[in-house]
Amino acid sequence: MRARALLADAARLGRSPWAIALGLTAVAGVALRVWAYRSVAGTPNADEAVVGLMVRHALHGELTTFYWAQSYGGTQEVLLTVPLFALAGSSWLALRAVPIVLGAVASYLVWRVGRRTIGEPAATVAALTFWVWPAFNIYVLTHQQGFYASNVVYCPLLLLLALRVVERPDLVRVGLLGLVLGLAFWQTPQIVPVAVGIVGWTIWQQPRVLRGLPVAIPLALLGALPWIVWNAGHGWASLEQPGYGDKLHSLRLLASPVLPMIVGLRAPFSAVLLVPAALTYLAYLGLVVLFVVGAIRAWRRPRSILYVVVAVFPVVYALAPKTSLALGTPRFVVVLTPLLALLFAQLATTRVRGIAVLALACVVSVVTFARMEAWFEGTPRTVTHAEGLGPRHTVQWVPRDLGPLVDTLDRLGLDHVYAEYWTAYRLDFDTRERIVAAVSSFDGLLDDGRKAIPVPGGPSRRPDYERRVAESRHGFVFYAPTVDSVPIVPELERRGYRPHRVGTFVVYAPPGPA
């Protein structure tokens, strides 16, 4: 009888509006990812192709500390992907499985943090809100960008560990927090603005944590050991700060358009407003007021950690020079999104309000992602090489299927080519390096009477690719909209190179037999 009663209760709960709303939101999160994966916005790009190439090389024992040719961006996600490639083979799905799964892990961690800070039902709403929102996260975490999925895992994980330390500051908990801080620091420098606030809040709430520093510091150094060893041998390059940073400009861009983009008041890439301008500014002001009121009410409560970290974030964020260039996308604040989901979910003080929050999150994400997709679907006009990007980005000229281009290169007997960044590493990954593509900016040719070798230029990730292409019979791959104005094309034609149009590309093949 008791078992029947429990089953009956479970059946009633499953038919309740609350359970239905939770289930539909979970399904919506899956549907958004399928949409993002299959849409034109989900077309594989060169950045994630580089990660895929790193995984392949790691399978053969070539391990690196950072993303190729960078002094930041750890390789933990690369290592997580190695077993998938070993078992299932090299593919875009296997490559993207790790960030997608890490997004689900982050949602679980958001729920764990929520239970300690904002309680139920808000914690459950926070987890599911993060599962479906913001739309930019859906886009980023459906690609494999190297460390963005780590951002959204380490943020709530550090929050959870800090809350546990404040509850009971024993050496095990303090040491674990230190170890994870070190690992996070190696993996993603974007965690630093979050980590500073978390550490500060932990000491403020529980000064006894300082007694555990003799344990926490060595473990933090252990977690960051790959970062330390690499930098010791490379002049501490990770600490170099380029001179283009303007801190006030970074803060202004953070206020607008970056934060409006991440919350959905503006669409990433296009900056299209969600609602008319007057309503946008009113909504933005309302969010700021809610934050201030919430911070006052949270004083000395566990949920104050959410407000402290968000308040400290802009100060540290602006110290990074690259943030002064953050204009088209909110990529540098993805790390903050678990906190934003927790803050918004505080409105879900009842199940009815929780359903409303979830519905709003779903609607905003659907509308925002549709506008992002429209940006990617936009047809770029013909631009000159000097103009560069035009109204759209050259990444849009690289289709999901490179089969026709690969077939053309095979027909022409070209297994070594020069190409622009967004094409080159796609070719390398898609062909499993059967065709080796090196990056070039096509600004000029070296004075070499035997071969047409472009002057060095472009964001090269693998210098050995440039060497191998230069030493081999090679062709050139240009974008059709810009080929007529590429500086080296007249010289290539003078040397006997002939064009072959294929889709959005033009291949220039050298004279003579393959």
Side-chain angles (χ1 to χ4, degrees), residues 15 121 144 168 246 254 264 281 292 310 364 372 398 457 478 480 489:
R15 293 191 298 268
Q144 172 49 281
R168 192 177 74 237
D246 182 332
L254 179 63
Y281 294 130
V292 173
V310 172
V364 170
M372 290 167 60
V398 184
F478 303 111
V489 165

Side-chain angles (χ1 to χ4, degrees), residues 36-59:
Y37 192 100
R38 296 176 63 86
S39 73
V40 65
T43 300
N45 63 54
D47 285 343
E48 57 182 329
V50 171
V51 180
L53 291 165
M54 292 173 66
V55 176
R56 284 201 194 128
H57 284 250
L59 275 168

Side-chain angles (χ1 to χ4, degrees), residues 85-99:
F85 273 33
L87 293 173
S90 172
S91 69
W92 289 109
L93 180 59
L95 181 65
R96 293 176 168 187
V98 167

Side-chain angles (χ1 to χ4, degrees), residues 156-223:
L157 178 58
L158 289 172
L159 289 170
L160 178 61
L161 293 176
L163 289 162
R164 285 166 53 84
V165 165
V166 169
E167 291 170 3
R168 192 177 74 237
D170 59 40
L171 292 181
V172 173
R173 293 189 173 189
V174 174
L176 182 59
L177 176 59
L179 177 63
V180 174
L181 278 168
L183 288 168
F185 179 73
W186 162 37
Q187 174 65 5
T188 168
Q190 294 179 22
I191 200 67
V192 173
V194 171
V196 169
I198 289 174
V199 171
W201 180 86
T202 304
I203 295 172
W204 169 49
Q205 291 288 311
Q206 185 58 270
R208 284 192 298 163
V209 74
L210 296 175
R211 300 176 186 175
L213 289 182
V215 173
I217 291 177
L219 287 174
L221 294 175
L222 177 63

Side-chain angles (χ1 to χ4, degrees), residues 32 42 67 102 115 123 125 142-143 189 191 212 271 280 285 320 327 331 337 350 365 368 382 386 390 394 415 469:
L32 281 168
Y67 192 88
L102 289 179
R115 287 176 63 87
V125 171
T142 309
H143 292 269
I191 200 67
T280 297
L285 178 61
L327 183 62
R331 61 190 184 278
T337 52
T350 66
S365 281
T368 302
T382 299
T394 50
D415 54 10
V469 174

Side-chain angles (χ1 to χ4, degrees), residues 484-507:
D484 291 338
S485 60
V486 175
I488 68 171
V489 165
E491 177 61 19
L492 290 178
E493 292 178 344
R494 189 185 68 79
R495 295 188 182 205
Y497 281 74
R498 291 294 176 261
H500 302 265
R501 177 71 181 260
V502 50
T504 57
F505 301 106
V506 177
V507 177

